[in-house]
Amino acid sequence: MRIAIYPGSFDPLTNGHLDVLQRATKLFQRVIVAVAKNESKNPLFTPAERVALIKEGIGHLANVEVDAFDGLLVDYVRRHQASAIVRGLRAVSDFEFEFQMALMNRKLDESIETIFMMPKDTYTFISSRIVKEIAKLGGDISPFVPPHVETALKKKLKVPKKA
Ligand code: PNS
């Protein structure tokens, strides 16, 4: 069985993440979305909250599981007998970091491939960081995240309802 791990902070899930995930499910029999606990990144949502938001967003996808992880990604990949890491690539600006990570992970384990997938062009400018900033400043984030994530973000950030 071809298994892929789709790792990330997912703080929070965006429509861009969902687009990449959907594409990955067509290539792999099982895709595990692995939420990095990443406390050093000071996430807005706890790992459990991020996992729950993803689970709520993937009802339409049959071969996806969601989990949280700590420690080295390659160890997690090996533990789950996966053969690939899936990462979304939006723009040239993503490339340097992604290239470094992919080659480092390959150095750590030659048997694991990293597969990059481009999201739909309308999602290429979306990032969790920018979505959080727009939400914090009272902007409309509905085109960028699923409705339940929008609700959770507004609640978390205590954004007042518009009159
Ligand atoms: O969504 P992000 O924040 O860009 O995801 C980055 C992530 C979680 C994939 C990366 O930080 C990671 O793999 N962390 C696990 C620790 C690890 O293995 N680090 C070495 C990677 S070369």
Side-chain angles (χ1 to χ4, degrees), residues 54-141:
I54 299 168
K55 281 190 175 159
E56 206 176 328
I58 56 158
H60 57 302
L61 301 170
N63 51 341
V64 177
E65 288 156 47
V66 192
D67 189 16
F69 80 103
D70 238 345
L72 272 184
L73 176 59
V74 290
D75 289 338
Y76 184 85
V77 173
R78 276 195 290 248
R79 267 205 309 280
H80 289 82
Q81 284 151 7
S83 53
I85 294 167
V86 169
R87 290 285 288 172
L89 200 58
R90 292 162 300 186
V92 178
S93 52
D94 280 344
F95 183 76
E96 202 169 327
F97 174 60
E98 295 299 335
F99 182 69
Q100 196 179 15
M101 260 202 324
L103 292 193
M104 183 54 85
N105 284 329
R106 182 186 283 164
K107 199 87 195 154
L108 295 171
D109 190 325
E110 279 281 343
S111 70
I112 301 169
E113 290 296 339
T114 300
I115 312 256
F116 293 105
M117 308 203 75
M118 268 56 102
K120 197 172 165 189
D121 53 347
T122 45
Y123 298 139
T124 49
F125 57 91
I126 302 177
S127 77
S128 299
R129 185 183 60 77
I130 294 180
V131 166
K132 280 182 282 190
E133 188 173 318
I134 295 170
K136 226 178 265 177
L137 299 171
D140 178 18
I141 54 164

